[in-house]
């Protein structure tokens, strides 16, 4: 092979950072290299990364393989000991060309492979400018990194460090550059995006950032947030939901559970009543909005009654999309030291919660039949409505915004009438 190939796992922030990595590696003159940007959110994510590294070595026997990302930050020795790996970079190091210029030669020891600093020592997030997001119709912008909270199940703060925000002006500049490059939809992303601004002068909020972005870059046609912690939602964000048509009517919520004792043991900052109240208020402000959410099944000490409370919350909040994680212990987290449930039971509850999610998704699809939607066509024959529902758009031009009449669904995607559609 020639050039730089990037394999990306995990969140939208990783997708954004992979573009920065590619640009910095190429600036450093790196060639014949595979960069693996890992995720640490679950043990399965780490396993998949190791599997991809082995496959990359088989397919590119003479390439330099460099591993980075959250799993490389939290489990650096695991990857340094792999014979297939030539170097391991930390989450901070992966974003600078100097790291790629100073890589060790082939055949060094596991210790010499490591270029991983103490992520907790990082106090600022430098703005990173990219021209495009490879393979994506929607453009992601990093507005924040790290997390100051310590949920008992989560290893990510140890991979990302403490919360730090990108200055508002830099976010505006990046958005303007991406819009000039033809992107019609911008997604603001971060590890804990709703904590945005707490470390900046004047302590601006995520909602204020979004308001400013839409005002200063009027060419943005659609603006989204990647994920929010509803307990941190600010008044500016609620204003946008109620009043701004360019702010898309979909929120992905970090709920995790629906039982109050489970939420306390997870060290979450909201109660089930908080979640219900937030969803009810947002629906009042924007009736067409849809919600998706992360939920964990089989958390330590979870009883059947507690699990049913999670199912009930999904129903009460009308969640259109459920992203279900079967709990898996992450070494170094408090939850890993709690009494664990049998793995068979964990997987069984996760399957039941996914089934409830599929049922709620069907209800959501049926509600949309007969409506007229503006859809943004992706590269894979699918499209997204404004409320982030997938549409079968085979044959439509990628990157186009199309007004479509929703005629039905197939259980997963909406279907559309292909006549009388107009591109925006």
């Amino acid at each position: 092979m020639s050039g730089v190939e990037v394999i990306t796992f995990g969140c939208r922030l990783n997708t954004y950072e992979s573009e920065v990595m590619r640009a910095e590696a190429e600036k450093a003159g790196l060639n014949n290299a595979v960069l693996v940007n890992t995720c640490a959110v679950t043990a399965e994510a780490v396993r998949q990364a190791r599997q991809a590294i082995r496959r990359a070595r088989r397919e590119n026997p003479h390439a330099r393989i460099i591993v980075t990302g959250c799993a490389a930050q939290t489990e650096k020795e695991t990857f340094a000991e792999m014979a297939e790996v030539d170097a391991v970079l930390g989450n901070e190091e992966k974003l600078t060309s100097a790291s790629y210029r100073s890589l060790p030669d082939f055949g060094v020891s596991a210790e010499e492979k490591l270029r991983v600093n103490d992520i907790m020592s990082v106090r600022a997030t430098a703005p990173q400018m990219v021209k495009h997001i490879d393979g994506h119709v929607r453009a992601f912008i990093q507005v924040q990194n790290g997390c100051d909270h310590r949920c008992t199940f989560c290893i990510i703060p140890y991979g990302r460090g403490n919360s730090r925000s990108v200055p508002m002006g830099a976010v505006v500049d990046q958005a303007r550059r991406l819009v000039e490059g033809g992107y019609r939809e911008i997604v603001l992303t971060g590890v804990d995006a709703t904590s945005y601004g707490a470390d900046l002068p004047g302590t601006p909020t995520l909602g204020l950032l979004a308001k400013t972005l839409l005002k200063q870059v009027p060419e943005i046609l659609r603006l989204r947030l990647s994920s929010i912690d509803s307990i941190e939602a600010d008044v500016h964000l609620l204003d946008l939901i109620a009043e701004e048509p360019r702010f898309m009517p979909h929120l992905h919520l970090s709920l995790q559970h629906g039982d109050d004792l489970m939420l306390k043991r997870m060290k979450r900052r909201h109660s089930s009543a908080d979640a219900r109240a937030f969803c009810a208020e947002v629906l009042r402000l924007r009736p067409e909005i849809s919600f998706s959410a992360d939920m964990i099944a089989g958390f330590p000490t979870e009883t059947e009654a507690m699990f049913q409370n999670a199912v009930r919350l999904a129903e009460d909040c009308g969640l259109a999309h459920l992203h279900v994680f079967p709990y898996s212990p992450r070494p170094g987290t408090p939850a890993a030291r709690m009494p664990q449930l049998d793995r068979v039971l964990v997987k069984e509850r996760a399957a039941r919660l996914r089934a409830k999610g599929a049922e709620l998704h069907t209800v959501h699809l049926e509600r949309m039949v007969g409506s007229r939607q503006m859809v943004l066509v992706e590269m894979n024959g699918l499209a997204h409505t404004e409320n982030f529902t997938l549409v079968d758009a085979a044959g439509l031009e990628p990157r186009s915004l199309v007004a479509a009449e929703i005629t039905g669904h197939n259980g997963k995607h909406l279907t559309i009438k292909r006549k009388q559609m107009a591109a925006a």
Side-chain angles (χ1 to χ4, degrees), residues 296-359:
I296 296 174
F299 189 78
T301 76
E302 180 189 71
T303 65
E304 177 63 23
M306 293 171 177
F307 171 75
Q308 288 300 328
N309 283 337
V311 174
R312 197 169 298 113
L313 181 76
E315 293 173 334
D316 292 348
C317 289
L319 301 180
H321 315 271
L322 272 186
H323 191 188
V324 177
F325 293 88
Y327 172 79
S328 61
R330 307 297 287 124
T333 61
R337 300 189 295 272
M338 296 178 184
Q340 305 292 306
L341 301 188
D342 182 83
R343 294 307 302 168
V344 173
L345 179 59
V346 170
K347 292 179 180 178
E348 186 266 340
R349 285 184 180 165
R352 287 161 58 196
L353 193 52
R354 289 192 186 104
K356 173 54 66 175
E359 177 187 318

Side-chain angles (χ1 to χ4, degrees), residues 36-47:
V36 184
N37 198 7
T38 63
C39 172
V41 71
T42 63
E44 176 62 16
V46 177
R47 187 194 69 80

Side-chain angles (χ1 to χ4, degrees), residues 363-411:
V363 171
H364 170 71
L365 293 175
E366 290 175 350
R367 284 176 180 160
M368 294 191 67
V369 174
S371 66
R372 192 167 178 82
Q373 301 286 330
M374 291 300 299
V375 303
L376 178 62
V377 183
E378 308 278 352
M379 311 292 284
N380 57 359
L382 297 172
H384 279 102
T385 66
E386 291 184 342
N387 68 7
F388 209 60
T389 307
L390 277 173
V391 175
D392 181 357
L396 298 183
E397 185 67 25
R399 298 186 182 277
S400 62
L401 263 177
V402 176
E405 182 181 336
I406 307 301
T407 57
H409 68 86
N410 62 9

